[in-house]
Amino acid sequence: ASQSDSHADPQPQPEAVQVPELEPAQVQKALAGAHPPLLLDVREGHEWSQVRIPAALHIPMNSVPDRLDELPRSRPVVVFCSHGSRSYGVAHYLREQGFDAGSLHGGITRWRIEGGTVNVG
């Protein structure tokens, strides 16, 4: 081994994946653009039946690993849940799998407050 090997990259590996947290207004603007992201709703079925974003694909969080083939690798994926914590974890997982994924900051709750379109009931 050469002497230069001792100067390995000092960055810790476990936190190498950074998840972008996207504001509702950013996502709404992107949806109106030429290359809209896929919205992925990872809430449970009973949550989805109460309120949902019309254009979103619904795959409950625990089903995502088994249904990766339903997600496009050719466009960004914006993951959301009720408030943004579950979606952050799922977006992190998707990024580890090679997807261009981010989490909707504040979830569908903030999306609604900021005027995002939803279907209720």
Side-chain angles (χ1 to χ4, degrees):
S2 69
Q3 290 289 34
S4 63
D5 287 346
S6 64
H7 298 289
D9 187 352
Q11 291 196 340
Q13 288 307 310
E15 278 304 308
V17 176
Q18 294 293 319
V19 176
E21 290 203 83
L22 307 164
E23 298 301 323
Q26 272 180 285
V27 175
Q28 290 168 14
K29 185 175 179 185
L31 287 172
H35 302 287
L38 172 79
L39 294 179
L40 176 61
D41 184 343
V42 297
R43 298 172 304 145
E44 295 302 315
H46 68 276
E47 295 172 287
W48 181 89
S49 66
Q50 292 169 359
V51 61
R52 61 210 157 275
I53 298 174
L57 174 64
H58 177 239
I59 302 178
M61 179 175 75
N62 293 333
S63 301
V64 170
D66 295 328
R67 294 176 63 183
L68 287 179
D69 60 340
E70 295 178 43
L71 302 176
R73 292 185 180 269
S74 58
R75 62 194 265 220
V77 177
V78 177
V79 186
F80 70 93
C81 59
S82 293
H83 301 287
S85 50
R86 284 176 288 177
S87 61
Y88 188 92
V90 172
H92 185 274
Y93 170 78
L94 290 176
R95 292 184 76 81
E96 288 178 329
Q97 307 309 309
F99 288 89
D100 176 7
S103 177
L104 179 63
H105 187 237
I108 194 171
T109 302
R110 187 141 169 239
W111 175 269
R112 262 183 103 167
I113 290 169
E114 296 191 12
T117 303
V118 294
N119 289 343
V120 178

